[in-house]
Amino acid sequence: AIIPGTIATLGRRCMPESDEFLEGRARGPAAQADESEASESQISETVKSGIGARGEACGKMKQLISGHWATLLVGIGAVVAVSVLQYGGLIWCSVLLQKKGTDPPILL
């Protein structure tokens, strides 16, 4: 968990914060509470207008993928690499050693 966590943390540091997040952080918690009430009414208007929350979420996901495709690809590759190494080290080597006649207590 240390290796994927480190890679994910380093990858996350390369992603800039959104403008909305930075503006909300600069305004403080009281302004964020007022904004959340306004955003709830805006969401209900969006749902009524036919776009829907699902369409809005898909749009944000497309924006995330198109803006950070390289970082996401590195993260996915790192998870795959660690999974393959873990499988090879824990499962494949244990089976190989059992076939060679290693005692079960030693394999643990």
Side-chain angles (χ1 to χ4, degrees):
I2 292 174
I3 294 171
T6 303
I7 293 170
T9 301
L10 292 175
R12 173 62 183 97
R13 296 183 116 205
C14 297
M15 286 187 196
E17 296 292 349
S18 67
D19 294 333
E20 293 173 4
F21 175 79
L22 294 174
E23 289 171 4
R25 192 171 183 189
R27 281 186 240 146
Q32 289 176 358
D34 293 338
E35 255 182 38
S36 66
E37 292 173 7
S39 67
E40 287 176 8
S41 64
Q42 185 180 23
I43 289 171
S44 64
E45 289 175 14
T46 305
V47 171
K48 289 177 185 175
S49 69
I51 295 173
R54 182 180 227 169
E56 188 177 337
C58 288
K60 287 183 180 182
M61 185 61 77
K62 286 178 185 176
Q63 183 181 7
L64 174 73
I65 291 171
S66 66
H68 302 290
W69 65 271
T71 307
L72 292 169
L73 191 62
V74 168
I76 291 168
V79 170
V80 168
V82 169
S83 298
V84 168
L85 289 174
Q86 183 179 9
Y87 174 79
L90 297 177
I91 306 299
W92 184 76
C93 289
S94 296
V95 171
L96 180 70
L97 290 172
Q98 280 180 341
K99 287 182 180 180
K100 299 264 182 189
T102 306
D103 295 330
I106 294 174
L107 293 174
L108 295 176

